[in-house]
Amino acid sequence: MDPLSITTAVLAVATAAEQTRRALERVRTALKTMPGRLSALNNQVADLEVLLRQIVSLMSARDQHPELATAEAHDQIRDVIRRAGDLLQELRDLSAQVEKAGNSQSRIGSIQRARTWQRYLPRLHEIQDGLTSVKSTLNLLLGASNSYDMMRMRLDLVAVTGLSNNQAMPQQEMLERLFEHIDERIESVKLVVQEQTHQLERSQTALLTRPSDPRLHPPPGTPAPPYTSRSASSASIKQQPQGVGLIVAGRTTACRARCKCACHRSQKSATPSFLSRVLGQLFVEHVGIPAISTKCDTPRCSNAQSSQMYAEYWFPLGVFWSQIIRFHVTYQANLGPSFQLRSLRRVPDSAPAVSFAMSGNIQGLQELFRRGAASPQDVSDTRGYSLIRWALYSRQYKTVRFLHAAGADADYRPKALHDNSPSNKAADALMMGGLSSDVVDDLSCIANEDWVEEQNFPLLHRIVLGLHGKDLEQALAEDPTTVDHEDAMGRTALNWAAARGDDRSVATLLSYGADPNILDCQHSGPLSYSAEKNHTICVRILLEAGAQTDPVIPGGQRVGSPLNCASRNASDPVLIKSLLDFGADVDASGVDGRTPLIHAARTDNVSFALLFLEHNANINAVSTAGQTPLTTAIVNNSHRVLQLLLSRWADYSGCPRLRGPHLLDTAAQFADHETLAILCLTNHIRLKYDKNYHTGDFEKVLLQRHDGDEKLSKAFADFMAIVREEVSPETLMEQGLAFSGRLSEMSDEKSNASDEFFDSTEHLLD
């Protein structure tokens, strides 16, 4: 197929995309509404149309974009547009069937009429996945073209600069021309992001303000709820430790990290994890031990290394009151040997102390510590995180400061060999910048003061970090081969520029051929850091330069993907959409099993949750701690996401099942007044699948909460009366009891068909 015919074919599919959007609009007219899944498809088709027209524009300018005129590019484009055309045709056919069904049932109620499309839901999921794949391929093609164009411009300028006659361009002029080109590239990315921001705001506002769901988006003039994590309530006191392990942490050597000698690099080992249930698990790290440590391999080494061995033993499940023993031995020639022995307690990832540390509930932690139900030194089960590490992971910086003052060990390192201690993580965050003065104060109390010195920053790193006054472009022009040099943690200058949100430095480094997929010792790359720090422009530039949305981790280890990092720390929905548009796995999780939807439920980020559901996120994903999006929303009192999961699930996915912790026990431990009101109107809790389900003494659990009061006790009593079918929500509204105002506000959303929720109890019937 020649270039002209390919351009014509792409333009034809773009026209088909426009026709498909019109067909979906006719469905809206027939159903009197646009269900969430169809709205998501409509958005996908609109995005696809824009991408196709951009491809047409670039292919028309073949002289400026020769990379799109190759035979390989033609084959790829041909396959993609053929698939896109087939998917769009099928979507138009399904739309016509839904439109016909809606028009033929015009006399029935709007809710029943709107459900006529749900028989096509499985195939609609497949079509949307196909369109997502097509969009990802086209985005990568466009990104490669933009990156190629930027590198070609630099090479052309360098070639002109190197001429020996009067046509030679001075280096300063060359750099200025390069600056202009980079600035133009950044501005074009900003325009794309700005347009996507407006489009996303329009689409989500339309969905979240539907008349059937007034609570998800309050009327104009209503103050918006703060965009922060919800503080969970206190919990029951019982905590069962689960197993044991042993870990080793690196210690600063006499030569510091500037010495790259092999004898100063710590060596780590661990017993096989499959033995942990029977024999426990041992983690050992040593450095400078005669006979077993690596010999010196650097002439400049000062050979002043002190011998150290640090080990942790995690006892098997349920053995002894203390399930972690830490042993640290140091030998120095002038002081002799020294020993340190400590014991720690291991708790489940679902322990109340972990939940409180992640949600920033300092009052709840104080109450647990007062009762002896938790300790600042507790270590969680799966990742080996201490409470202060969980607080840092969730960016609860005030909680970090509180835990440190309460005696938490900021130098305790998680058991994963690629992870780091809270003190090093804090120093890392301070160097990445972008923090308020209050956060800087909170992190400075635990930050490792020697951390910067230990990183062995090359010249480009110091320029990017503001530690050297030289121009980055000048340094790269003088020696382009240093563009991918790494520091002590395996980070390149691109990694630091991305983490700091330095758009210009990111674009400059990429124009010199910087690799956007180099992972550091923590298995994180530039895309993960920029996504976590909410730098949308950097994320878009890196994606277009070929940064992998789901990099392959050596050894098959599970580490949070860029999307997973962004879901728990970022705030810009367009950043999330950009990652999804480039093919990010919507259900990617780290070793803790928390998917992006679970993180959105934890932080009550309804915009993120809506995007994940639109991209077929698993609404019933279960973390290693047994938490699902539904139970996570209850634990963290995430009212908007909870309402979305319970009232809009049929628009996007399957029913949210009652997996994980017992719902009533979870509600008793954590639910506030509004969460109880939301739960009262869901059919999940009123099904007669098990008469013993609601016979527990949940009221007693509620009494153990530090925030319990008469109003909350009354609300929970009314909630349990509804669960036990002693009273109906309508009766409560008539009597004006407890949360009747909330009930009346949400009563219109109640479904008449309880059989929809049958699968929610599937796992409880076993």
Side-chain angles (χ1 to χ4, degrees):
M1 187 180 290
D2 61 84
L4 182 59
S5 60
I6 289 181
T7 302
T8 303
V10 174
L11 190 58
V13 176
T15 303
E18 182 180 0
Q19 295 170 351
T20 304
R21 286 197 298 109
R22 292 176 182 173
L24 289 170
E25 287 299 324
R26 290 194 295 270
V27 170
R28 182 198 302 270
T29 302
L31 300 183
K32 308 301 182 185
T33 184
M34 178 71 88
R37 176 59 60 202
L38 295 181
S39 178
L41 277 164
N42 193 42
N43 293 335
Q44 291 274 44
V45 174
D47 289 345
L48 178 60
E49 182 182 354
V50 172
L51 287 173
L52 289 169
R53 297 194 184 280
Q54 289 177 350
I55 291 288
V56 170
S57 176
L58 290 180
M59 292 189 68
S60 299
R62 287 186 295 275
D63 294 338
Q64 288 76 23
H65 301 277
E67 71 284 357
L68 291 180
T70 64
E72 181 180 358
H74 286 175
D75 290 341
Q76 190 173 16
I77 294 173
R78 183 180 61 248
D79 293 340
V80 170
I81 62 175
R82 181 186 297 118
R83 187 181 181 200
D86 293 341
L87 291 169
L88 291 171
Q89 181 61 53
E90 185 174 3
L91 183 55
R92 287 199 300 276
D93 293 342
L94 288 178
S95 300
Q97 296 177 42
V98 175
E99 180 188 0
K100 181 179 179 181
N103 288 330
S104 65
Q105 300 180 23
S106 58
R107 294 185 179 181
I108 66 175
S110 59
I111 295 179
Q112 288 78 7
R113 183 167 59 250
R115 288 176 182 156
T116 59
W117 68 277
Q118 290 183 344
R119 72 186 71 171
Y120 308 106
L121 187 58
R123 184 53 191 154
L124 290 173
H125 281 180
E126 296 174 2
I127 292 175
Q128 184 172 357
D129 286 340
L131 291 176
T132 299
S133 177
V134 167
K135 282 175 50 185
S136 175
T137 303
L138 293 177
N139 273 314
L140 289 172
L141 279 171
L142 287 172
S145 176
N146 290 326
S147 297
Y148 176 87
D149 185 46
M150 191 159 55
M151 292 185 67
R152 180 178 57 81
M153 173 65 73
R154 182 186 64 80
L155 292 174
D156 290 346
L157 291 173
V158 171
V160 173
T161 304
L163 294 176
S164 58
N165 53 27
N166 293 333
Q167 295 179 349
M169 179 187 296
Q171 186 181 47
Q172 183 60 37
E173 183 180 350
M174 185 271 288
L175 291 177
E176 291 176 357
R177 293 274 297 275
L178 181 60
F179 297 162
E180 293 176 3
H181 190 64
I182 288 175
D183 289 341
E184 290 175 2
R185 177 76 192 106
I186 293 174
E187 286 302 316
S188 67
V189 173
K190 288 181 178 179
L191 289 175
V192 171
V193 170
Q194 185 178 13
E195 176 58 31
Q196 288 195 344
T197 300
H198 295 328
Q199 179 183 346
L200 196 59
E201 286 177 352
R202 290 193 298 268
S203 63
Q204 290 204 342
T205 299
L207 286 170
L208 297 180
T209 54
R210 275 167 45 181
S212 61
D213 194 0
R215 294 188 69 262
L216 284 177
H217 203 92
T222 304
Y227 212 100
T228 58
S229 303
R230 299 296 191 263
S231 295
S233 305
S234 186
S236 66
I237 297 186
K238 292 184 179 179
Q239 297 185 41
Q240 296 298 327
Q242 299 180 4
V244 232
L246 190 263
I247 207 168
V248 194
R251 291 289 186 247
T252 303
T253 65
C255 270
R256 300 290 182 183
R258 290 187 180 277
C259 181
K260 298 183 178 180
C261 172
C263 72
H264 289 168
R265 291 196 292 267
S266 61
Q267 300 177 43
K268 310 167 188 177
S269 59
T271 57
S273 57
F274 68 86
L275 297 176
S276 61
R277 290 184 174 273
V278 179
L279 301 177
Q281 199 167 9
L282 180 69
F283 301 86
V284 179
E285 182 174 341
H286 61 85
V287 61
I289 305 297
I292 63 174
S293 293
T294 306
K295 294 183 179 180
C296 214
D297 63 355
T298 302
R300 292 179 297 174
C301 175
S302 63
N303 202 24
Q305 173 64 50
S306 60
S307 301
Q308 298 190 53
M309 177 174 288
Y310 179 40
E312 275 188 19
Y313 177 65
W314 292 27
F315 283 92
L317 184 65
V319 177
F320 300 126
W321 62 271
S322 173
Q323 286 150 342
I324 301 179
I325 297 295
R326 304 179 68 195
F327 185 59
H328 182 209
V329 182
T330 303
Y331 178 81
Q332 295 181 345
N334 57 337
L335 298 176
S338 62
F339 304 89
Q340 184 181 39
L341 181 66
R342 298 181 61 191
S343 61
L344 303 173
R345 179 174 52 182
R346 185 181 183 183
V347 299
D349 284 4
S350 58
V354 174
S355 297
F356 292 165
M358 294 183 68
S359 63
N361 189 345
I362 295 177
Q363 187 178 0
L365 287 170
Q366 289 175 324
E367 180 65 14
L368 291 176
F369 296 163
R370 185 185 67 81
R371 297 182 180 181
S375 163
Q377 302 286 350
D378 285 351
V379 177
S380 68
D381 182 41
T382 304
R383 304 186 70 159
Y385 276 12
S386 60
L387 296 183
I388 194 171
R389 181 67 179 86
W390 277 119
L392 197 60
Y393 171 87
S394 305
R395 295 192 175 188
Q396 299 294 342
Y397 300 123
K398 293 298 180 185
T399 307
V400 168
R401 188 164 194 157
F402 161 74
L403 288 169
H404 181 253
D409 184 3
D411 292 321
Y412 181 81
R413 181 173 176 174
K415 64 181 180 180
L417 300 182
H418 66 271
D419 219 322
N420 221 325
S421 66
S423 61
N424 286 342
K425 281 285 188 181
D428 210 33
L430 291 172
M431 182 57 67
M432 289 181 181
L435 304 174
S436 67
S437 58
D438 289 342
V439 172
V440 171
D441 290 342
D442 293 335
L443 292 181
S444 297
C445 69
I446 68 167
N448 179 3
E449 296 179 356
D450 297 326
W451 184 87
V452 174
E453 182 184 354
E454 295 169 2
Q455 299 313 299
N456 298 316
F457 288 133
L459 175 61
L460 294 184
H461 292 60
R462 286 181 278 133
I463 293 174
V464 168
L465 293 170
L467 303 177
H468 196 287
K470 192 170 186 177
D471 287 337
L472 178 63
E473 294 82 355
Q474 183 179 355
L476 285 167
E478 292 174 358
D479 190 359
T481 62
T482 63
V483 69
D484 283 332
H485 281 190
E486 301 175 2
D487 59 21
M489 291 189 66
R491 294 171 178 168
T492 64
L494 179 61
N495 206 322
W496 281 106
R500 293 169 66 89
D502 188 345
D503 308 336
R504 192 173 193 180
S505 293
V506 167
T508 301
L509 290 163
L510 289 172
S511 73
Y512 277 85
D515 187 348
N517 291 308
I518 294 178
L519 304 181
D520 63 14
C521 66
Q522 298 179 150
H523 303 318
S524 294
L527 187 59
S528 289
Y529 285 107
S530 59
E532 182 180 18
K533 294 292 186 177
N534 199 49
H535 301 314
T536 305
I537 305 300
C538 282
V539 165
R540 187 80 190 189
I541 294 174
L542 288 166
L543 287 170
E544 293 188 355
Q548 298 174 356
T549 55
D550 296 285
V552 178
I553 307 301
Q557 300 183 56
R558 294 179 62 186
V559 178
S561 67
L563 179 63
N564 196 276
C565 293
S567 66
R568 57 185 168 87
N569 290 320
S571 59
D572 187 0
V574 175
L575 187 153
I576 298 294
K577 185 179 185 300
S578 296
L579 290 168
L580 292 170
D581 284 346
F582 277 80
D585 181 2
V586 72
D587 288 321
S589 67
V591 68
D592 57 11
R594 291 185 172 94
T595 64
L597 183 57
I598 291 178
H599 284 304
R602 179 177 61 82
T603 58
D604 200 20
N605 194 324
V606 72
S607 294
F608 284 13
L610 191 58
L611 275 170
F612 298 143
L613 289 176
E614 287 181 347
H615 284 79
N616 299 334
N618 182 5
I619 201 171
N620 292 308
V622 183
S623 70
T624 55
Q627 293 284 357
T628 66
L630 180 61
T631 58
T632 301
I634 295 173
V635 167
N636 292 277
N637 291 299
S638 299
H639 305 133
R640 296 179 297 168
V641 172
L642 180 61
Q643 182 70 8
L644 175 67
L645 295 174
L646 292 176
S647 67
R648 293 294 178 78
W649 61 268
D651 277 6
Y652 304 100
S653 183
C655 179
R657 296 181 174 89
L658 301 183
R659 298 186 185 277
H662 194 294
L663 187 145
L664 300 183
D665 187 62
T666 301
Q669 292 186 55
F670 299 101
D672 63 12
H673 196 267
E674 187 169 357
T675 296
L676 292 175
I678 296 171
L679 290 174
C680 275
L681 283 179
T682 175
N683 290 323
H684 284 69
I685 60 174
R686 295 198 298 279
L687 291 175
K688 300 179 181 179
Y689 55 83
D690 185 353
K691 64 180 182 180
N692 295 320
Y693 178 66
H694 48 66
T695 57
D697 192 0
F698 305 110
E699 289 83 354
K700 183 178 180 181
V701 174
L702 181 70
L703 292 176
Q704 296 174 342
R705 290 169 52 165
H706 74 279
D707 61 343
D709 54 23
E710 184 178 352
K711 181 180 178 181
L712 186 62
S713 297
K714 176 58 178 171
F716 189 77
D718 291 340
F719 167 68
M720 290 304 300
I722 294 175
V723 172
R724 293 165 179 158
E725 297 189 335
E726 298 170 358
V727 66
S728 68
E730 292 76 12
T731 301
L732 280 182
M733 284 188 286
E734 292 173 0
Q735 297 176 354
L737 298 179
F739 29 68
S740 58
R742 293 296 187 188
L743 290 174
S744 60
E745 185 179 286
M746 296 181 287
S747 60
D748 290 338
E749 301 168 26
K750 180 182 174 183
S751 170
N752 295 321
S754 62
D755 58 336
E756 296 173 355
F757 293 88
F758 179 76
D759 64 344
S760 69
T761 62
E762 178 181 313
H763 78 293
L764 296 172
L765 297 176
D766 298 336

